[in-house]
């Protein structure tokens, strides 16, 4: 967005475009109906620019105030009331904080300034609002005096600054870079000699006024800075020698333009272009326009913020897309490298396999045969150790009769692909037998013989004994008593026991 500057004096408004340290004049509009119409047309053609208005008028007031230490809305309400007390009737007013007093109450010192003739500004501000042109603010030349001296390397605690604008001299009294008093003095003779004598006379008058207002002491030395064009400096030096408590320092306007970065130095002794450049590069924080005049400027800020957020989002999307494209390229390169490696390994495998003796069968059949061979090798295990374990237990249990024994490797698992699978990691021995009781043996005695047989089988710690059938049907709700049905107790009682043992790999 192009920055455009408006310079308003008592007679006319001048428009400038600011680009890369250069001020380009774009028009002058007289204070009248014709000039206002031309100014309106000028604004309509440049609605996308950002405008700042710099005023150099005599109707400018300054006053010092002290308020209690406050914050937020309470402070703002008190400042608004103070402005109304001193400058009632003008909306073009603002307050500058001068810091806090160094005491227990910490009162805040304020400089309240106002442009006391709002009627002079209203026609111009009305045209700006009608054109919906973004107005950043309304400023005065007096606001920029301290900033100009600071950039030129002069930072005196108290000093006077005299500059020429619009056939008048702007006289400003500055304390710590802040203008506390400013006024305009007309020049009757615009020649170099006349301007030089006016500088000398006005410096003396302002010095006496400040002493009368007790803003400075009678014996206090006061530096005076005068900005003028190179041809006028010799005449001003001659007219303004150091006298009394005033010490004069002259500043070449062309040198000043170079120090602040202005590439179009002033054509004469007027300093308005210096202040306009400062307004474009470093505008003051406070300005005189109300929010009603800055409505379109706020909308412009929101619009620019949305555009900036959109650009940031677009940049983020582009960066993310670039990262994803790079990752895709890297994956494609890895895939191609792996495919090339696979092709090389296949070729080497074929080359090596060509040296193997021919078996007359394909690779898939050979793979199935080798897998089946490994499964059969696992199943080639003899039941000898299991039978020995059962035999030893039978030898020690004469009351136990062996009726049958089964031995197998693994348990049948769930069907897969139409064929049952077998877990070959377990050896299972199933023993079917009976307890031959002695004469008049009770059920408890028969169960004792059976438990003794089981203990002999459990002697092998690697085996797990599972009872599939008890010699008697034992139910929790029925008691086992001796003497019940002695004929039935004399019959052999059958049982089934399963012995499982893990096969070590």
């Amino acid at each position: 967005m192009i920055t455009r500057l408006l310079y308003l004096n008592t007679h006319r408004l001048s428009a400038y475009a600011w680009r890369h340290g250069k001020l380009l004049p774009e028009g002058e509009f007289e204070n009248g109906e014709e000039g206002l119409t031309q100014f309106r047309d000028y604004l309509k053609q440049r609605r996308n620019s950002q405008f700042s208005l710099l005023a150099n008028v005599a109707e400018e007031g300054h006053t010092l105030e002290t308020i209690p230490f406050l914050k937020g809305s309470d402070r703002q309400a008190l400042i608004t009331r103070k402005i109304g007390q001193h400058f009632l009737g003008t909306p073009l007013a603002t307050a500058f904080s001068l810091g806090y007093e160094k005491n227990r109450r910490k009162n805040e010192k304020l400089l309240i300034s106002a442009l006391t003739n709002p009627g002079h500004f209203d026609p111009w501000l009305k045209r700006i609002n009608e054109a919906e042109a973004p107005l950043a603010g309304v400023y005065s030349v007096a606001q920029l005096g301290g900033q100009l001296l600071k950039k030129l390397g002069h930072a005196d605690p108290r000093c006077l600054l005299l500059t020429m604008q619009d056939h008048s001299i702007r006289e400003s009294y500055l304390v710590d870079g802040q203008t506390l008093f400013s006024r305009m003095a007309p020049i009757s003779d615009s020649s170099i000699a006349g301007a030089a004598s006016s500088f000398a006379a006005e410096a003396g008058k302002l010095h006496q006024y400040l002493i009368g207002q007790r803003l400075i002491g009678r014996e206090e030395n006061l530096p005076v800075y005068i900005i003028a064009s190179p041809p006028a400096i010799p005449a001003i030096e001659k007219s303004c020698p150091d006298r009394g408590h005033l010490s004069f320092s002259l500043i070449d306007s062309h040198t000043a333009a170079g120090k602040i970065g202005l590439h179009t130095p002033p054509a004469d002794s007027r300093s308005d272009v210096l202040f306009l450049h400062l307004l474009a590069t470093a505008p003051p924080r406070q300005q005189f326009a109300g929010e009603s005049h800055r409505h379109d400027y706020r909308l412009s800020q929101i619009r620019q913020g949305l555009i900036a957020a959109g650009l940031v989002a677009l940049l983020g999307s582009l960066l993310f897309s670039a990262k994803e494209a790079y990752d895709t390229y890297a994956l494609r390169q890895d895939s191609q490298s792996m495919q090339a490696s696979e092709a090389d390994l296949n070729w080497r495998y074929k080359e090596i396999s060509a040296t193997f003796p021919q078996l007359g069968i394909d690779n898939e059949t050979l793979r199935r045969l080798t897998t089946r061979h490994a499964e059969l090798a696992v199943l080639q295990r003899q039941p000898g150790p299991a039978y020995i374990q059962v035999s030893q237990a039978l030898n020690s249990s004469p009351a136990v009769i062996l009726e049958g024994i089964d031995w197998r490797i693994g348990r049948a698992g769930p069907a897969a692909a139409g064929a049952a699978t077998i877990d070959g990691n377990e050896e299972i021995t199933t023993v079917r037998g009976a307890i031959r009781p002695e004469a008049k043996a009770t059920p408890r005695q028969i169960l004792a013989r059976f438990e003794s047989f089981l203990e002999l089988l459990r002697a092998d710690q690697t085996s797990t004994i599972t009872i599939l059938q008890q010699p008697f049907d034992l139910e929790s709700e029925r008691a086992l008593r001796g003497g019940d049905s002695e004929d039935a107790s004399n019959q052999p009682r059958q049982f089934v026991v399963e012995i499982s043992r893990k096969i070590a790999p």
Side-chain angles (χ1 to χ4, degrees):
M1 181 176 288
I2 298 176
T3 299
R4 285 186 159 83
L5 305 173
L6 307 175
Y7 180 72
L8 178 64
N9 56 26
T10 56
H11 303 292
R12 66 183 61 86
L13 184 144
S14 304
Y16 298 85
W18 185 87
R19 293 188 182 93
H20 309 294
K22 294 183 179 180
L23 280 172
L24 308 176
E26 291 188 334
E28 290 188 352
F29 311 97
E30 296 296 329
N31 189 8
E33 193 61 35
E34 183 179 356
L36 290 171
T37 303
Q38 295 174 354
F39 179 61
R40 181 188 59 193
D41 297 336
Y42 167 82
L43 293 173
K44 287 182 178 180
Q45 298 172 4
R46 298 163 176 83
R47 290 174 54 185
N48 294 328
S49 302
Q50 177 178 305
F51 295 88
S52 295
L53 191 150
L54 180 64
N56 182 45
V57 293
E59 298 86 357
E60 183 175 354
H62 306 272
T63 184
L64 294 173
E65 265 289 353
T66 302
I67 63 173
F69 177 79
L70 296 171
K71 290 185 178 181
S73 59
D74 293 337
R75 175 180 179 274
Q76 187 59 44
L78 182 57
I79 291 176
T80 302
R81 189 173 67 181
K82 291 292 184 181
I83 291 175
Q85 291 175 352
H86 292 283
F87 301 105
L88 183 63
T90 175
L92 302 176
T94 187
F96 306 86
S97 177
L98 302 180
Y100 296 90
E101 294 180 349
K102 296 181 179 179
N103 53 36
R104 296 181 62 182
R105 296 187 62 182
K106 293 181 64 176
N107 291 332
E108 184 179 7
K109 295 180 291 184
L110 293 178
L111 172 66
I112 300 176
S113 303
L115 303 173
T116 57
N117 185 14
H120 181 66
F121 293 85
D122 287 343
W124 305 103
L125 296 177
K126 181 180 178 181
R127 300 313 187 273
I128 293 175
N129 290 340
E130 289 176 351
E132 298 181 352
L135 178 65
V138 176
Y139 306 87
S140 71
V141 171
Q143 287 180 266
L144 300 167
Q147 188 173 347
L148 177 60
L149 289 179
K150 182 179 180 181
K151 286 185 175 291
L152 297 179
H154 304 289
D156 299 274
R158 298 172 184 264
C159 66
L160 300 181
L161 174 64
L162 306 182
T163 60
M164 182 181 294
Q165 278 97 231
D166 309 315
H167 304 289
S168 62
I169 294 177
R170 168 65 65 176
E171 310 169 19
S172 299
Y173 169 58
L174 294 93
V175 177
D176 297 327
Q178 182 68 52
T179 301
L180 299 189
F181 176 80
S182 183
R183 71 179 182 182
M184 288 176 59
I187 301 177
S188 57
D189 184 2
S190 299
S191 64
I192 292 179
S197 61
S198 297
F199 276 123
E202 291 301 326
K205 292 179 182 178
L206 182 58
H207 183 241
Q208 292 300 321
Y209 174 80
L210 296 175
I211 292 175
Q213 294 294 319
R214 297 185 179 181
L215 294 176
I216 60 174
R218 290 186 177 275
E219 304 301 323
E220 183 177 353
N221 293 322
L222 194 64
V224 181
Y225 295 98
I226 301 175
I227 300 178
S229 62
I233 287 180
I236 298 175
E237 285 181 339
K238 184 177 179 181
S239 300
C240 300
D242 293 347
R243 62 178 184 272
H245 298 287
L246 295 179
S247 57
F248 291 87
S249 298
L250 274 66
I251 301 174
D252 185 342
S253 61
H254 290 193
T255 302
K259 287 185 177 181
I260 66 176
L262 176 61
H263 302 319
T264 52
D268 50 27
S269 291
R270 293 186 300 174
S271 302
D272 46 359
V273 293
L274 299 177
F275 292 111
L276 285 169
H277 176 76
L278 285 178
L279 180 61
T281 55
R285 290 182 300 173
Q286 292 85 3
Q287 54 83 39
F288 293 94
E291 287 303 318
S292 60
H293 298 120
R294 305 179 74 201
H295 175 72
D296 295 295
Y297 173 68
R298 296 300 187 194
L299 294 179
S300 175
Q301 285 184 315
I302 295 173
R303 189 182 306 113
Q304 291 179 2
L306 293 176
I307 293 174
L311 291 176
V312 170
L314 177 60
L315 179 60
S317 301
L318 292 176
L319 292 176
F320 180 75
S321 300
K323 178 182 179 299
E324 292 297 313
Y326 176 78
D327 292 343
T328 302
Y329 172 77
L331 290 175
R332 187 179 295 113
Q333 292 297 109
D334 292 343
S335 176
Q336 292 177 357
S337 175
M338 294 177 68
Q339 290 175 359
S341 177
E342 180 186 9
D344 180 64
L345 291 174
N346 289 337
W347 178 81
R348 292 175 60 187
Y349 173 75
K350 291 179 181 179
E351 187 179 40
I352 294 173
S353 62
T355 61
F356 295 163
Q358 301 299 319
L359 300 178
I361 58 176
D362 60 286
N363 292 338
E364 185 63 28
T365 303
L366 180 61
R367 186 179 295 107
R368 287 201 303 269
L369 289 175
T370 55
T371 302
R372 183 57 180 165
H373 178 269
E375 294 175 354
L376 293 175
V378 172
L379 297 177
Q380 286 183 355
R381 183 178 178 88
Q382 299 298 325
Y387 285 1
I388 291 174
Q389 178 187 5
V390 176
S391 299
Q392 292 176 349
L394 290 172
N395 289 336
S396 301
S397 304
V400 178
I401 304 172
L402 181 63
E403 295 181 348
I405 186 170
D406 295 328
W407 180 87
R408 67 180 185 277
I409 296 293
R411 299 179 185 273
T421 59
I422 297 177
D423 183 7
N425 297 327
E426 191 176 12
E427 174 186 357
I428 300 173
T429 305
T430 303
V431 178
R432 296 187 303 278
I435 305 296
R436 183 174 54 192
E438 301 174 355
K440 297 182 181 180
T442 65
R444 294 186 182 277
Q445 292 175 337
I446 296 174
L447 287 176
R449 302 289 187 274
F450 179 65
E451 289 296 333
S452 177
F453 176 70
L454 293 178
E455 291 298 326
L456 293 173
L457 294 177
R458 292 192 182 102
D460 186 359
Q461 299 296 327
T462 61
S463 299
T464 301
I465 309 300
T466 304
I467 303 173
L468 302 181
Q469 180 181 339
Q470 293 272 6
F472 291 94
D473 292 332
L474 300 179
E475 300 178 4
S476 59
E477 66 272 8
R478 181 178 177 183
L480 181 63
R481 299 191 303 271
D484 294 347
S485 182
E486 292 184 2
D487 293 339
S489 297
N490 293 329
Q491 300 296 325
R493 310 301 299 181
Q494 295 180 343
F495 64 87
V496 180
V497 178
E498 181 182 89
I499 307 170
S500 60
R501 179 187 302 168
K502 295 292 182 180
I503 300 176

